[in-house]
Amino acid sequence: MKPRERRLVIVLGAVAAVALLTWLRPHKDPAVFTKSAAVDPAVEPLPRIDLERLPHERPKLRIGVRDIFAFGPPPTLPPTARPATPPPTPEPQEALNPTPLPGPRLPPLNLKYIGSVENGRGARVAVLLTDRNELLTGQAGEVVANRYKIAKIGLESVDLEEVGTGLVKRIPLRN
């Protein structure tokens, strides 16, 4: 027998012995071991509930008749006076609401499409190179350079959609 198995058998035997001793030991009355009984041998009387304070007549309940969807009568609202003539229609105020000016445009980011690769699951990954020689990769639907979303990856080009404006720019494959 291995030493580990021997230790396991000894521990299991000790646990079984303790369980057997506690099961065979005669149980004492739990009230004897309470703190109040050990300090004060006189038993305290139970407090009396004064039931005379409660009303003697209880309302009669009609069992099975209650309708939880039955409400009282709706409140009556005071009548409101309607205007005799409809209010004049306001004239369009296009001069007051000018179209917002477009926000400041970011400087153009020159990207070159190097090619595409298929990963093990069959998804195409586009490989782009910035003018700072940074390599960007992404699948269709992903955002690259925090500015462009890859709309479509083809064999000889990639379509990039500008996130802020929605303009689509096609970048051809460069050798």
Side-chain angles (χ1 to χ4, degrees), residues 102-106 146-149 160-169:
R105 294 205 47 129
L106 296 173
N146 288 332
R147 289 176 63 180
Y148 297 106
K149 180 179 177 182
L160 298 177
E161 178 183 346
E162 208 170 331
V163 174
T165 61
L167 296 174
V168 178
K169 181 165 80 169

Side-chain angles (χ1 to χ4, degrees), residues 11-138:
V11 168
L12 287 176
V15 169
V18 169
L20 184 65
L21 285 175
T22 56
W23 185 61
L24 292 177
R25 195 161 131 211
H27 295 288
K28 306 281 185 188
D29 186 18
V32 175
F33 297 110
T34 61
K35 182 178 179 182
S36 64
V39 173
D40 186 14
V43 179
E44 296 179 12
L46 293 175
R48 180 181 161 98
I49 300 175
D50 188 15
L51 296 177
E52 299 299 322
R53 295 183 301 159
L54 297 176
H56 294 289
E57 296 179 19
R58 293 188 180 196
K60 299 291 181 186
L61 297 177
R62 294 176 33 196
I63 298 175
V65 181
R66 181 176 176 221
D67 185 9
I68 62 171
F69 298 106
F71 298 107
T76 57
L77 299 175
T80 58
R82 294 190 177 185
T85 60
T89 58
E91 295 184 22
Q93 298 177 356
E94 294 177 11
L96 296 178
N97 297 330
T99 57
L101 297 174
R105 294 205 47 129
L106 296 173
L109 183 64
N110 295 327
L111 294 174
K112 296 178 184 174
Y113 179 51
I114 298 174
S116 64
V117 207
E118 285 194 22
N119 65 5
R121 290 176 266 157
R124 285 191 152 225
V125 177
V127 181
L128 303 164
L129 185 68
T130 66
D131 52 353
R132 297 179 183 171
N133 287 334
E134 296 173 338
L135 194 64
L136 303 175
T137 61

